[in-house]
Protein backbone atom coordinates (compact mmCIF):
# COMPACT_ATOMS: atom_id res chain seq x y z
CA UNK A 1 0.00 0.00 0.00
CA UNK A 2 1.32 3.42 -0.94
CA UNK A 3 0.04 6.05 1.45
CA UNK A 4 0.65 9.67 0.51
CA UNK A 5 0.01 11.51 3.76
CA UNK A 6 -0.83 15.20 3.80
CA UNK A 7 -1.91 17.37 6.70
CA UNK A 8 -5.51 18.47 6.03
CA UNK A 9 -4.59 22.14 6.50
CA UNK A 10 -1.98 21.86 3.78
CA UNK A 11 -4.40 19.95 1.57
CA UNK A 12 -6.94 22.77 1.89
CA UNK A 13 -4.25 25.35 1.03
CA UNK A 14 -3.32 23.36 -2.08
CA UNK A 15 -6.95 23.02 -3.11
CA UNK A 16 -7.45 26.77 -2.80
CA UNK A 17 -4.30 27.50 -4.83
CA UNK A 18 -5.33 25.38 -7.80
CA UNK A 19 -7.78 28.08 -8.92
CA UNK A 20 -10.79 25.85 -9.45
CA UNK A 21 -14.08 25.87 -7.54
CA UNK A 22 -13.80 24.04 -4.23
CA UNK A 23 -15.90 20.89 -4.06
CA UNK A 24 -18.36 20.51 -1.18
CA UNK A 25 -16.34 17.66 0.37
CA UNK A 26 -13.03 19.57 0.24
CA UNK A 27 -13.23 21.03 3.72
CA UNK A 28 -10.78 20.77 6.59
CA UNK A 29 -13.29 18.77 8.62
CA UNK A 30 -13.92 16.23 5.85
CA UNK A 31 -10.25 15.89 4.93
CA UNK A 32 -9.25 15.45 8.58
CA UNK A 33 -11.86 12.72 8.99
CA UNK A 34 -10.74 11.02 5.80
CA UNK A 35 -7.14 11.08 6.99
CA UNK A 36 -8.10 9.49 10.31
CA UNK A 37 -9.93 6.70 8.47
CA UNK A 38 -7.02 6.11 6.11
CA UNK A 39 -4.71 5.78 9.12
CA UNK A 40 -7.02 3.07 10.48
CA UNK A 41 -6.97 1.18 7.17
CA UNK A 42 -3.20 1.43 6.85
CA UNK A 43 -2.73 0.29 10.46
CA UNK A 44 -5.02 -2.70 9.96
CA UNK A 45 -3.30 -3.62 6.70
CA UNK A 46 0.14 -3.39 8.33
CA UNK A 47 -1.00 -5.68 11.14
CA UNK A 48 -2.00 -8.32 8.60
CA UNK A 49 1.35 -8.15 6.84
CA UNK A 50 0.77 -5.77 3.96
CA UNK A 51 3.88 -3.78 3.18
CA UNK A 52 3.24 -0.07 3.67
CA UNK A 53 5.09 2.74 1.96
CA UNK A 54 4.18 6.03 3.61
CA UNK A 55 5.35 9.36 2.26
CA UNK A 56 4.58 12.61 4.00
CA UNK A 57 3.89 15.13 1.26
CA UNK A 58 3.44 18.24 3.39
CA UNK A 59 6.60 20.12 2.37
CA UNK A 60 7.33 18.39 -0.92
CA UNK A 61 6.69 19.25 -4.52
CA UNK A 62 4.90 16.73 -6.74
CA UNK A 63 8.28 15.96 -8.32
CA UNK A 64 9.85 15.25 -4.91
CA UNK A 65 6.95 12.97 -3.96
CA UNK A 66 7.21 11.10 -7.26
CA UNK A 67 10.95 10.67 -6.80
CA UNK A 68 10.55 9.40 -3.24
CA UNK A 69 7.81 6.97 -4.28
CA UNK A 70 9.88 5.71 -7.21
CA UNK A 71 12.81 5.07 -4.90
CA UNK A 72 10.64 3.36 -2.29
CA UNK A 73 8.89 1.20 -4.86
CA UNK A 74 12.10 0.15 -6.56
CA UNK A 75 13.48 -0.97 -3.19
CA UNK A 76 10.22 -2.74 -2.40
CA UNK A 77 10.29 -4.65 -5.68
CA UNK A 78 13.88 -5.77 -5.12
CA UNK A 79 12.96 -7.17 -1.70
CA UNK A 80 10.21 -9.33 -3.20
CA UNK A 81 12.32 -10.92 -5.95
Amino acid sequence: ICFLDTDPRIAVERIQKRGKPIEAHETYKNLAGLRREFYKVVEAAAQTGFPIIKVNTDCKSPEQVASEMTLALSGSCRERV
Side-chain angles (χ1 to χ4, degrees):
I1 295 174
C2 298
F3 179 37
L4 302 179
D5 187 27
T6 304
D7 183 282
R9 286 180 184 84
I10 292 173
V12 169
E13 289 174 13
R14 290 176 179 170
I15 290 166
Q16 291 169 342
K17 286 181 183 178
R18 72 181 175 203
K20 295 181 182 178
I22 296 174
E23 301 288 332
H25 65 277
E26 295 175 326
T27 65
Y28 172 80
K29 181 179 177 181
N30 286 344
L31 294 173
L34 185 61
R35 185 183 193 207
R36 279 191 303 276
E37 294 305 312
F38 269 108
Y39 265 96
K40 290 178 188 176
V41 169
V42 170
E43 170 96 13
Q47 289 178 359
T48 60
F50 277 92
I52 308 296
I53 297 171
K54 179 183 170 200
V55 175
N56 184 300
T57 69
D58 289 350
C59 298
K60 296 177 183 150
S61 69
E63 295 79 16
Q64 290 171 315
V65 172
S67 177
E68 193 169 331
M69 285 302 303
T70 300
L71 183 62
L73 288 170
S74 67
S76 176
C77 291
R78 278 194 304 263
E79 291 171 9
R80 294 181 187 180
V81 172

